[in-house]
Amino acid sequence: MRLIGADDLLPRPGTVLLWSVQADPETARVQDAPPSFNQRTHLAGTGPLTWLAVAAEVPGPIRRADLARAVLTLLARHESLRTSFRRTPQGLRRAVHPAEALTLRPRSAGPVASPPRARDVVTAFVSEQCAEPWSTPAVAVAAVDRADRSTVVIGIDHALGDAWSLTVLLDDLVRLYRGAPADPVAVPSFGRHCVREAATVVEPDDPRLGEWLRFLRAHGNAPPSFPGPTGVPAGEVRRAVLRTDTLVGADDAGAAEASCRELGTGPFAGALAALAHAVADERSGDRPRSLSLLFPLHTRTLPSESRAVGWYVTNAPVTVAVSADIRSTTRGAGLALRAALPLGEVPIDTVISALGELRRPRHDVFMASFVDYRRLPGHATHGPLDARHVSAVTDADDVQIWFARTDAGLAVRTRVPDTAVARATVDRLIDRMRAQLSALARPALLPADPAPVQ
């Protein structure tokens, strides 16, 4: 799975086909449990809603009836894709539409003569369909039809799913489009997760809550910001730029992971250690040398949720101390991540309430995530399908980082404000992370033999 921004979705020319999901708002069933914290925060934003999409190449021209059947089966299988939202006297609520009440309506499009034009038509349609999640599900279906090989795009408002969900969507869609029967094993509804989240209680004296509060108070009652230069003054934003870079190929990525295992940790610790060294070099005059940020972690606690669509993500705080070398830093990062994992069990609502006042000096949150796509549904088909995780391009005022491990190696996607300063900062970070990960991939140097006693 390649991670790209919407600007880099450049399908070959062909005939653009578009479908919107239609539903009668009156048939939706309003849920008792509130939406998840992520959904409420997302829908409370003042700017354009962000969306995610999965794009893939399928053989031959689009079989329109087969694609429509596959999409409707997807909607029936995954409750999240049949969800819109309502403002009620009890607050924001999810509304689930019955599958039989949903239809796909073709929208007018036509031939496009260039990849940029294909991109513009498809992404404008996805943005339009995902801009209003209040009456019908914010799902968009698009394709670029060609005789030899066609592009299919499924877009969803971020409230309906996460990166893991895109791999589930693609795997289910491809199977159904090829004529496979629907999976008879039901998947849990995302509403079940919302009920579980709403029922989670953490007592004021819980040490996990105490760690959260110590972390935020150490940063002025706020999430930490990226400590390097971005060229954006406080209170301002710029259009975001998303770029994806390969850090190390498959062989070096495997060797670096082996080093992480020898150090008693995993590959995310190695990636975070490389990032911490890169940022420390950016701030060479500062002491102590450490990096604090938030990292997302999934909340798919039930085995059956591995095949479910929804925004199953929370966050935890971590501080990585920069040691003398990448191996020592990786070992420390692993210990820090292990200690941080239980903090993800504390609802963010509880943290904010206990803190009293959460400051947000930046609109964005400085974060870094790690997804090993080799462990997710359908990974074996991602290469042949040229699968792409596509994210909307909006505004930014901080740095966000996604590490992606695939069969091809380790890549990183960065999202930063589109300024010359931020672009130059990312250039330096990428070069430094490459050097650190390459060093982690090399065999550790053994200490020299002691001199013989005379």
Side-chain angles (χ1 to χ4, degrees):
M1 182 77 73
R2 291 194 292 126
L3 277 61
I4 63 172
D7 289 347
D8 295 319
L9 177 65
L10 296 168
R12 290 188 295 120
T15 299
V16 175
L17 309 173
L18 307 171
W19 294 267
S20 59
V21 176
Q22 301 294 303
D24 180 356
E26 299 303 318
T27 66
R29 178 170 49 88
V30 177
Q31 308 292 289
D32 292 331
S36 70
F37 173 82
N38 282 336
Q39 289 177 324
R40 299 195 307 273
T41 302
H42 172 76
L43 295 169
T46 56
L49 294 178
T50 56
W51 51 261
L52 310 174
V54 62
E57 306 299 308
V58 297
I62 294 293
R63 303 192 306 276
R64 303 183 190 195
D66 289 340
L67 182 60
R69 172 187 52 79
V71 170
L72 289 172
T73 305
L74 270 180
L75 295 174
R77 178 167 173 75
H78 298 289
E79 180 201 81
S80 187
L81 300 180
R82 294 183 280 112
T83 300
S84 57
F85 298 89
R86 302 285 187 275
R87 295 184 176 97
T88 75
Q90 293 75 39
L92 190 66
R93 290 293 184 269
R94 300 165 59 254
V96 177
H97 300 257
E100 61 273 14
L102 300 180
T103 59
L104 286 183
R105 176 186 293 178
R107 297 281 293 270
S108 60
V112 292
S114 70
R117 179 57 182 162
R119 172 201 60 202
D120 292 347
V121 173
V122 169
T123 57
F125 176 70
V126 174
S127 296
E128 172 196 314
Q129 295 301 300
C130 294
E132 187 59 43
W134 302 105
S135 56
T136 58
V139 178
V141 182
V144 183
D145 191 27
R146 310 182 199 92
D148 59 340
R149 192 166 166 86
S150 300
T151 304
V152 175
V153 179
I154 307 291
I156 59 174
D157 182 88
H158 200 344
L160 305 187
D162 52 19
W164 189 317
S165 298
L166 294 184
T167 71
V168 173
L169 282 180
L170 179 59
D171 193 42
D172 283 354
L173 178 71
V174 169
R175 292 172 186 270
L176 293 165
Y177 183 64
R178 290 172 175 170
D183 192 335
V185 179
V187 294
S189 72
F190 186 68
R192 183 175 181 176
H193 167 81
C194 294
V195 170
R196 191 167 64 223
E197 182 182 273
T200 301
V201 176
V202 173
E203 298 299 332
D205 59 351
D206 191 301
R208 298 169 300 173
L209 178 58
E211 287 299 320
W212 258 113
L213 297 179
R214 276 188 286 275
F215 180 89
L216 292 172
R217 286 168 179 159
H219 296 90
N221 279 26
S225 298
F226 177 69
T230 63
V232 178
E236 298 185 16
V237 298
R238 300 287 187 273
R239 189 176 190 273
V241 58
L242 287 81
R243 60 179 272 187
T244 301
D245 296 88
T246 298
L247 293 174
V248 288
D251 290 344
D252 277 355
E257 288 177 16
S259 294
C260 291
R261 288 192 294 271
E262 291 170 2
L263 295 166
T265 188
F268 186 24
L272 268 187
L275 174 62
H277 273 275
V279 173
D281 289 346
E282 189 74 24
R283 308 162 61 207
S284 58
D286 292 350
R287 295 292 189 275
R289 286 156 58 92
S290 64
L291 181 66
S292 294
L293 46 72
L294 299 184
F295 70 97
L297 61 160
H298 78 83
T299 56
R300 286 173 161 83
T301 58
L302 304 174
S304 54
E305 288 173 339
S306 66
R307 299 287 317 190
V309 171
W311 199 347
Y312 291 91
V313 174
T314 189
N315 290 281
V318 67
T319 297
V320 177
V322 178
S323 300
D325 61 83
I326 185 63
R327 279 179 166 75
S328 297
T329 304
T330 297
R331 183 184 290 109
L335 294 173
L337 285 171
R338 192 173 299 124
L341 289 178
L343 278 59
E345 299 167 2
V346 182
I348 305 299
D349 278 337
T350 302
V351 174
I352 295 174
S353 176
L355 187 67
E357 178 188 7
L358 178 68
R359 295 177 51 250
R360 289 293 300 271
R362 294 286 189 180
H363 172 75
D364 292 325
V365 173
F366 174 41
M367 51 74 67
S369 75
F370 185 98
V371 176
D372 189 339
Y373 284 94
R374 300 170 303 169
R375 301 178 182 273
L376 301 190
H379 76 276
T381 65
H382 290 173
L385 293 169
D386 189 17
R388 284 145 288 168
H389 165 156
V390 187
S391 294
V393 179
T394 55
D395 292 332
D397 63 354
D398 211 329
V399 176
Q400 297 183 324
I401 293 170
W402 293 262
F403 294 103
R405 179 67 165 100
T406 67
D407 290 334
L410 179 65
V412 64
R413 186 180 72 178
T414 51
R415 178 180 182 271
V416 299
D418 191 1
T419 67
V421 171
R423 286 177 179 271
T425 297
V426 170
D427 285 341
R428 294 190 296 271
L429 290 180
I430 298 300
D431 288 343
R432 291 166 181 160
M433 283 193 288
R434 281 180 178 142
Q436 293 292 339
L437 289 165
S438 295
L440 185 59
R442 293 194 293 269
L445 295 176
L446 297 176
D449 292 334
V453 177
Q454 299 295 325

